[in-house]
């Protein structure tokens, strides 16, 4: 459950690879606040970039579903028989190629939404880190310390 499937184009074909999502990315250690603050930028970049890439992948899969649907529907439309859109949709939905492409799209859309929510959560982690840093700075000032 802590992985998503990311497809990358190698110039010839799309290659699927698993991307591990580390729950520890969202952990906050108030004893290592400086290290957490230094790492948050690259974590935000990672989740933002992954989210955008998965969005594009989901849209590509959605287009494939529509393409497969159109190809199969065209086979039925070539017949002299008339079909209502409902009948046509029912017949197309039984084709293995349509089912497969639809399942690929559903999985890809799910991965995108999951990572998009993780990106939003990472923004919240950044906000918390900023608040903790401010609080720590205020505590240092009260104790007579400084940041220099």
């Amino acid at each position: 459950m802590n992985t998503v499937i990311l497809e990358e184009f190698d110039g010839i074909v799309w290659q699927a690879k698993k991307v591990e999502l580390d729950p520890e990315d969202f952990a906050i250690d108030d004893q290592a606040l400086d290290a957490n603050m230094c790492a948050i930028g690259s974590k935000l970049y990672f989740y933002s970039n992954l989210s955008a890439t998965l969005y594009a992948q989901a849209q590509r899969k959605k287009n494939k579903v529509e393409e497969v649907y159109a190809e199969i529907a065209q086979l039925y439309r070539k017949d002299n028989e008339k079909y209502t859109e409902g009948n046509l949709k029912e017949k197309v939905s039984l084709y293995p190629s349509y089912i497969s492409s639809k399942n690929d799209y559903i999985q890809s859309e799910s991965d995108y939404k999951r990572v998009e929510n993780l990106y939003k959560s990472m923004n919240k982690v950044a906000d918390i880190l900023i608040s903790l840093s401010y609080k720590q700075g205020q505590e240092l000032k009260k104790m007579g310390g400084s940041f220099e």
Side-chain angles (χ1 to χ4, degrees), residues 13-116:
V13 22
W14 291 96
Q15 298 288 333
K17 74 173 194 173
K18 285 185 177 183
V19 176
E20 295 291 327
L21 305 175
D22 188 2
E24 288 299 312
D25 285 347
F26 300 89
I28 296 174
D29 181 5
D30 61 345
Q31 301 302 312
L33 200 51
D34 288 342
N36 288 333
M37 287 295 288
C38 289
I40 195 68
S42 33
K43 290 177 183 178
L44 281 167
Y45 173 78
F46 172 78
Y47 285 99
S48 169
N49 188 47
L50 184 58
S51 174
T53 304
L54 287 171
Y55 175 77
Q57 178 176 303
Q59 293 307 302
R60 198 172 57 253
K61 301 269 182 161
K62 182 180 179 182
N63 290 343
K64 180 67 176 170
V65 169
E66 292 169 358
E67 182 182 307
V68 169
Y69 180 90
E71 288 172 0
I72 297 169
Q74 188 64 30
L75 295 173
Y76 283 101
R77 289 185 179 117
K78 285 182 180 179
D79 291 347
N80 289 332
E81 222 177 301
K82 295 203 178 210
Y83 295 98
T84 65
E85 195 57 38
N87 286 346
L88 195 58
K89 196 172 199 174
E90 184 180 328
K91 290 186 178 299
V92 170
S93 68
L94 298 175
Y95 272 75
S97 58
Y98 179 78
I99 293 168
S100 176
S101 65
K102 183 79 170 181
N103 288 339
D104 285 348
Y105 166 65
I106 290 168
Q107 181 61 52
S108 194
E109 182 74 7
S110 171
D111 286 348
Y112 158 66
K113 287 181 178 179
R114 197 157 43 106
V115 171
E116 179 66 13

